[in-house]
Amino acid sequence: GLSNKAVYADGTADEPAKSGNDHKPPGSATTMKRPPIEDDLLQNTLWPEIQKLYGHGFEVFCLAIHSVGKLLASACKASKAEHAVIRLWDCESWKQLQSLSAHTLTVTQMAFSNSGHRLLAVSRDRTWSVWHQVSLDEKAFALEQHADKKTAVHSRIIWTCSWSPDDLHFVTGSRDKKMIVWKEDGAASQGWSPASEVLEAKDAITAVDFCPQLLDKLNAVYMVAVGFESGQLSIFSWQCRNSDHVSWQRLLDFNSRFDGVYLLLCTGL
């Protein structure tokens, strides 16, 4: 968030009124032994506003930035298709370039591919959509594929998605406790189709992310971080194999917590 507390070039800040408590003034440099909480960020950081973007009818729910910072995608809370649009903004002029329509309910997460040529979106309507850049010298995107409720596999809200580092796959995770990797089929009529068996977890999946590097380049083994509604974080490896092989392997579990200390459990290395 924004802070109005004055912080100067030498790192000092306005002194607060003296009180019986001995504490550092807001904005003072400090060394932390844990990740900052919201109060720390509120008191000690200042993000100057450079532009307001108007266009959505309701509060913004998710954002995605292009891999080279050329474009910004935004989506807001929506209960109707007319509000469930993705708006594309030019990061130089801050003008709206496009309004992309496919979903009927809130778009919950978006992700540009690493090349920047595709945009992936998932939604409360239990479907996902893939958009491709019309041409390399244009900033316009067109719908490549929109999964329906049958082909999307998921039976509940799809909360999260991520592209593989080579852009050959993407992964989706849902409240239905399922995670699945998708691949682009060679046949144009097939489009994107499942590349893995469905990983069925014990808890709703709220976050997924491919590791930016492959675990094993020779055998095309990927790593995927998975966050669950319970707060647990797990690391899986995934390899595209024949259907008679298990392609998912759990590598690590981060289980919280005891007096603020996180325990790391190794389950597959």
Side-chain angles (χ1 to χ4, degrees):
L2 293 174
S3 170
N4 289 325
K5 294 180 174 60
V7 179
Y8 306 105
D10 60 0
T12 61
D14 287 341
E15 293 286 344
K18 290 185 177 180
S19 66
N21 297 325
D22 182 19
H23 64 277
K24 292 184 178 181
S28 296
T30 184
T31 300
M32 307 191 72
K33 297 182 179 179
R34 54 168 173 75
I37 59 176
E38 187 174 352
D39 280 348
D40 297 324
L41 296 174
L42 180 65
Q43 296 292 334
N44 296 293
T45 61
L46 176 62
W47 293 88
E49 179 184 295
I50 60 173
Q51 186 71 37
K52 280 188 171 73
L53 304 179
Y54 297 97
H56 291 293
F58 297 94
E59 59 264 43
V60 172
F61 194 87
C62 63
L63 299 168
I65 190 71
H66 189 272
S67 56
V68 295
K70 297 189 303 182
L71 298 171
L72 175 70
S74 63
C76 72
K77 286 187 176 180
S79 57
K80 298 180 180 179
E82 63 184 289
H83 298 299
V85 298
I86 300 169
R87 299 188 185 275
L88 289 183
W89 309 85
D90 187 314
C91 290
E92 294 178 352
S93 65
W94 295 113
K95 293 181 178 180
Q96 182 177 319
L97 299 175
Q98 271 186 288
S99 179
L100 308 177
S101 301
H103 296 282
T104 57
L105 295 173
T106 304
V107 172
T108 52
Q109 188 172 4
M110 300 174 289
F112 282 99
S113 61
N114 297 284
S115 67
H117 300 328
R118 283 188 168 112
L119 174 64
L120 170 65
V122 294
S123 170
R124 278 183 173 272
D125 64 14
R126 297 177 286 170
T127 71
W128 51 259
S129 60
V130 175
W131 306 78
H132 69 271
Q133 193 172 5
V134 174
S135 64
L136 295 179
D137 58 346
E138 291 186 40
K139 295 180 179 179
F141 280 72
L143 183 63
E144 180 175 330
Q145 185 175 344
H146 181 210
D148 58 34
K149 293 180 181 179
K150 293 182 180 179
T151 58
V153 178
H154 297 289
S155 59
R156 303 288 298 277
I157 295 169
I158 306 178
W159 280 125
T160 181
C161 61
S162 177
W163 287 97
S164 65
D166 52 15
D167 290 342
L168 296 178
H169 307 90
F170 66 82
V171 62
T172 55
S174 170
R175 179 179 281 176
D176 63 8
K177 307 177 183 180
K178 296 177 181 178
M179 179 171 66
I180 186 167
V181 176
W182 303 81
K183 65 179 180 180
E184 187 176 16
D185 198 293
S189 60
Q190 296 298 319
W192 293 86
S193 61
S196 72
E197 73 271 15
V198 175
L199 174 69
E200 298 196 21
K202 295 181 180 180
D203 198 6
I205 296 170
T206 55
V208 295
D209 198 14
F210 270 102
C211 175
Q213 294 183 342
L214 272 68
L215 183 63
D216 182 346
K217 290 185 179 181
L218 182 62
N219 295 303
V221 181
Y222 301 83
M223 277 200 302
V224 182
V226 185
F228 299 94
E229 195 171 51
S230 63
Q232 179 177 326
L233 173 66
S234 297
I235 307 294
F236 290 85
S237 68
W238 174 77
Q239 182 179 17
C240 191
R241 297 177 176 176
N242 295 327
S243 59
D244 58 341
H245 290 83
V246 176
S247 59
W248 290 106
Q249 183 181 5
R250 185 188 295 268
L251 299 180
L252 296 172
D253 284 332
F254 295 85
N255 289 336
S256 64
R257 63 197 166 265
F258 181 75
D259 291 336
V261 178
Y262 284 78
L263 303 178
L264 174 62
L265 303 181
C266 178
T267 60
L269 289 178

